[in-house]
Amino acid sequence: MTLSDEELERYARQIVLPQVGGVGQRRLKAAKVAVVGAGGIGSGVLPSLAGAGIGKITIIDDDLVEIANLHRQPLFHESDAGRPKAELAAASVQKLNHFVEARPIRERIGSVNAPRLLDGHDLVIDGSDNFATRLAVSDACVKLELPLLSAAAVQFQGQVGLFRARPCYRCFVGDAFDADDCDNCAELGVLGALTATVGGFAALLAINILAGIGASQAGKLHLFQADQLRWRTIQIPPDTACKACGSA
Ligand SMILES: [Zn+2]
């Protein structure tokens, strides 16, 4: 995969970084990323991925924009109310960087369609708003052997974790939430500045993974406490009885 003169000029400020260079930039261009959820986390992740020159981005979301989304979803504007998020988010990515191929999928992802929708990507970023979706996405990633970057923000807490084979996201949360499809943000509240912080952190982790920067983050969960402005990192232990990855 080669870079045109226009691309070299466009990405000059990141290609000049020794950790990225031409090799890293070509890796980003070759990468195919699926983003589940074009909400608050998606709004934080997508512009950074598009700006960095990720080659192909699939955006999966079946929701329509509501005015109550706008405080945390700057991908959208007042005039977008009632319109589909996946299409709007893909158009925004495309407008920011025409070298990126953005594909919107207006489907609700679940255990039945997740393997089909996620297959063929190099990385899945889950910014969805409920446990049932997160567990379905995680199980599909285990099955497809895809790395899963899971990001969430609710109230004053944020978390970002990378799951690769074992431990998986199900090892972390268990099986109790398979039927839980409540919208956490709608019920519990969240600040837009927090989803932006967590989304930005997730984008940075994604770019590091795809460009091959830094040590492996697999199995690490990064937790942010917004009212104390403090990050801490914990290691997730694998669950030997996990029904997704336990017997693998
Ligand atoms: Zn597991």
Side-chain angles (χ1 to χ4, degrees):
M1 190 154 288
T2 56
L3 298 166
S4 66
D5 289 347
E6 200 186 338
E7 288 171 289
L8 290 171
E9 187 189 344
R10 181 182 190 105
Y11 304 123
R13 297 298 182 281
Q14 66 185 34
I15 291 175
V16 76
L17 298 168
Q19 293 92 335
V20 180
V23 173
Q25 190 62 51
R26 284 194 295 275
R27 284 180 183 156
L28 295 178
K29 184 177 178 176
K32 297 178 197 135
V33 176
V35 177
V36 179
I41 300 290
S43 279
V45 166
L46 286 165
S48 290
L49 296 187
I54 302 297
K56 291 184 177 152
I57 304 176
T58 305
I59 302 161
I60 306 167
D61 197 306
D62 71 330
D63 235 354
L64 306 175
V65 175
E66 293 173 28
I67 292 298
N69 298 147
L70 298 182
H71 88 292
R72 66 183 187 281
Q73 300 180 15
L75 272 180
F76 312 119
H77 306 98
E78 290 178 4
S79 57
D80 294 328
R83 298 176 64 200
K85 290 183 181 180
E87 273 92 346
L88 290 166
S92 169
V93 164
Q94 216 71 80
K95 202 170 163 187
L96 196 156
N97 188 347
H98 71 279
F99 288 108
V100 178
E101 203 180 294
R103 186 164 65 100
I105 295 182
R106 205 171 139 193
E107 275 185 58
R108 185 166 185 84
I109 193 167
S111 54
V112 174
N113 61 357
R116 170 175 59 83
L117 297 180
L118 300 178
D119 193 18
H121 294 90
D122 301 306
L123 175 69
V124 175
I125 302 176
D126 187 0
S128 63
D129 60 7
N130 67 84
F131 284 114
T133 300
R134 287 174 179 277
L135 287 166
V137 167
S138 172
D139 290 350
C141 287
V142 172
K143 208 171 288 175
L144 296 166
E145 298 181 358
L146 295 179
L148 168 66
L149 202 169
S150 177
V154 66
Q155 294 186 322
F156 276 80
Q157 290 162 347
Q159 64 182 44
V160 181
L162 178 70
F163 300 91
R164 203 187 276 273
R166 298 198 74 207
C168 74
Y169 182 78
R170 187 177 285 281
C171 293
F172 171 45
V173 300
D175 303 332
F177 296 106
D178 275 309
D180 184 359
D181 63 353
C182 74
D183 182 334
N184 292 316
C185 291
E187 292 189 356
L188 300 172
V190 68
L191 284 176
L194 174 60
T195 54
T197 300
V198 172
F201 188 100
L204 182 57
L205 181 47
I207 289 164
N208 280 355
I209 294 163
L210 295 167
I213 298 165
S216 169
Q217 296 291 319
K220 287 197 173 78
L221 188 72
H222 305 273
L223 299 159
F224 183 60
Q225 192 60 41
D227 47 5
Q228 295 164 16
L229 298 172
R230 189 182 301 156
W231 284 97
R232 66 195 172 95
T233 303
I234 60 171
Q235 184 75 39
I236 306 286
D239 176 2
T240 49
C242 175
K243 69 182 190 188
C245 75
S247 58

